[in-house]
Amino acid sequence: MSDEVMVYLGQLQGGVDAALQKLDEQDFAARVWKKDPAAWKKDAPTQAKISNRLGWLEVAQFIQSKEGDLQALADTIKAEGYRHVVLLGMGGSSLGPEVLRQTFGRVEGSPELIVVDTTDPAVILETERKVDLAHTLFIVSSKSGTTTEPNTFMAYYYDKVKAVKGTEVGQSFIAITDPGSSLEKHGRDHNFREIFLNPPDIGGRYSVLSYFGMVPAALAGYDLHTLLDRAVGMAESCHKPGMDNPGLHLGAIMGAAALAGRDKTTILVSKEISSYGLWAEQLIAESTGKESRGIVPVAGETLGGSEVYSPDRLFVALSMANAKDVTMEAGLKRLEEAGHPVVRLYLSDLFDIAAEFFRWEFAIPVAGALIDINPFDEPNVTESKDNTKRLLGDFVSKGELPKPTLEQGASGLAAAFGQPGGSDMASALQEFFRAVRPGDYVAFMAYSPLTPENDAALQKMRTAVQARLKVATTVGYGPRFLHSTGQLHKGGAANGVFVQIITADLEDAPIPDEPYSFSILKQAQALGDFESLRSHGRRVVSLQPQAQGQDLGLGRVAEAIKEALS
């Protein structure tokens, strides 16, 4: 495991030194390992909740003891001819496996891992068409067992597999959940092949090194032994005090940066581990975005010149030690010369990504303590879920969903457009972007299929905003982001400006035993989030571009944003 770290802090150095001194005086690292909830909050009810969220500290060692069982299952699945493993999850149960999937790809001789974590019907249908249902293993992954998305995914694919395998359908399904959940009961009632009961004292975003991340990794043929060994090695290093503790040091930097006004942690990664920011984004946003403050994770943003960045940034770069990204290194050097704090973390090989999982899991609670929040709850996440349930009820009773309304409030423009296009959209966006202030961030929230073309269009949007307004930008696909950055959007500081984009569905898929489809569910989730943001006085615009053939309109939205900012 590589411990190579390079840090340039500039004017932030004094704040980080003071933070480390404070943490050492509090014996903070030792208290974390003793699972002392008073390290974060003093009131007894909150401490009780924190005490039930600290199992991530030792879960890698627990999974090490289960390595043989997981390998035996993986060998059985291969021997039975399974060609795909499809993970059905959302948020903490899906983002870690998605990063592992993108990092390690397909291992020859093992099933290909696919992650389904969107209610967009195009993705649901595409996955069904890609796999051979008779030779596909589905993992239903949900801590609570009550999360809408994995339950609807399970219902859909269970029906499809049953049509092929009949009474043997249960052997194509595995559940990962907490003991006593409704999913555990469902799995037993439906004769699932395996039910993995995760230690219940682990929150979703801290669960990548538990069964939630390691079961799909084992089934996909990834080297579980080496991954866990790297994670445990980093955990051992995180027992140390001060700068010798990799997690404590990074957390002190992030916390001190936020207190100094640099509350946008910009995560830069080399191409080999390009998806890592997707996981770190949820960990940071959902852990720190509450009590009207927080750290804004900025992942996937194109590295620009120093002139496009305001003094609200901390840059953390992850790259391979043996193949350093020359372009990234040159850009980081320019940022240092401009006075921005920069942290470089180097991985010795791809397996060090497991060490980084633990480093950041330790670091974020440290930063949370410094900014005085509870990093283990997510008090605002249920708001959009509740809105969605109400809206679906309205759909069932009225046969349609309500439309977002145009509203001008004291907090800025909150607008919705039925079918915007061309200069009309640009004019409206020009007015909307006038509400952006220094220190803000602009979040693009796309309810659209996850495709390279859509990624490119969203990247054009954020690059245009970054260049013209010099503010941080984020991108999230809905409903995935509702379970990650969604907490920051509502519970964090009022410095977010939100652009919601809901593309049309060219085809739809039914949800078994429900009076609505995946398309209706997706629209209800988008509208529910729009209402939640507006109830918090956030500046939000909802765009619904009209499809033109197979063109869903994201490219036209990108052009309208470019025009609006010109």
Side-chain angles (χ1 to χ4, degrees), residues 82-86 106 111-112 114 130-132 135-137:
Y82 282 86
R83 299 168 194 157
H84 291 92
V85 172
V86 178
R106 184 168 195 171
E112 179 183 1
I114 297 173
K130 179 177 181 179
V131 305
D132 173 0
H135 297 92
T136 299
L137 185 70

Side-chain angles (χ1 to χ4, degrees), residues 7-17 262 336 339-342:
V7 178
Y8 170 81
L9 296 176
Q11 295 182 354
L12 189 60
Q13 184 70 60
V16 173
D17 290 343
R262 292 185 178 271
E336 288 179 347
H340 291 289
V342 176

Side-chain angles (χ1 to χ4, degrees), residues 38-170:
W40 292 279
K41 290 291 186 179
K42 304 304 181 187
D43 63 289
T46 303
Q47 287 185 7
K49 293 177 182 178
I50 292 173
S51 294
N52 193 40
R53 287 294 189 98
L54 298 174
W56 56 272
L57 284 161
E58 294 153 345
V59 75
Q61 291 91 327
F62 168 75
I63 298 297
Q64 278 184 323
S65 72
K66 306 295 182 181
E67 258 186 68
D69 296 338
L70 295 179
Q71 188 57 56
L73 176 61
D75 291 342
T76 298
I77 294 304
K78 285 194 291 185
E80 292 183 8
Y82 282 86
R83 299 168 194 157
H84 291 92
V85 172
V86 178
L87 177 78
L88 310 176
M90 185 58 61
S93 65
S94 63
L95 289 173
E98 176 64 15
V99 170
L100 293 170
R101 183 193 71 81
Q102 293 194 36
T103 301
F104 293 101
R106 184 168 195 171
V107 175
E108 186 175 354
S110 293
E112 179 183 1
L113 178 62
I114 297 173
V115 176
V116 174
D117 64 347
T118 175
T119 52
D120 192 290
V123 177
I124 304 295
L125 293 167
E126 179 189 8
T127 301
E128 178 187 351
R129 292 162 183 160
K130 179 177 181 179
V131 305
D132 173 0
L133 291 171
H135 297 92
T136 299
L137 185 70
F138 292 87
I139 304 174
V140 187
S141 192
S142 173
K143 174 179 171 64
S144 68
T146 60
T147 306
T148 297
E149 295 90 348
N151 283 344
T152 55
F153 303 154
M154 174 175 63
Y156 182 82
Y157 291 112
Y158 188 89
D159 265 17
K160 298 296 181 180
V161 177
K162 187 176 181 180
V164 175
K165 299 185 73 170
T167 57
E168 296 298 311
V169 56

Side-chain angles (χ1 to χ4, degrees), residues 239-292:
H239 280 271
K240 300 173 183 177
M243 290 179 59
D244 294 329
N245 182 321
L248 192 79
H249 190 200
L250 178 60
I253 293 171
M254 293 176 69
L259 291 172
R262 292 185 178 271
D263 63 338
K264 317 294 190 307
T265 292
T266 305
I267 304 163
L268 304 167
V269 290
S270 59
K271 65 180 184 299
E272 298 91 341
I273 51 171
S274 59
S275 61
Y276 181 80
L278 185 65
W279 174 84
E281 188 176 47
Q282 180 195 23
L283 181 69
I284 297 169
E286 199 169 36
S287 296
T288 70
K290 59 203 68 169
E291 300 182 41
S292 298

Side-chain angles (χ1 to χ4, degrees), residues 310-326:
S310 299
D312 58 354
R313 301 281 193 133
L314 165 69
F315 295 89
V316 183
L318 295 88
S319 59
M320 311 307 294
N322 58 356
K324 293 182 179 178
D325 188 321
V326 176

Side-chain angles (χ1 to χ4, degrees), residues 285-286 289-290 378-381 482 484-492:
E286 199 169 36
K290 59 203 68 169
E378 48 286 326
N380 301 101
V381 165
L482 297 179
S484 56
T485 52
Q487 169 60 44
L488 173 76
H489 294 169
K490 290 92 166 178

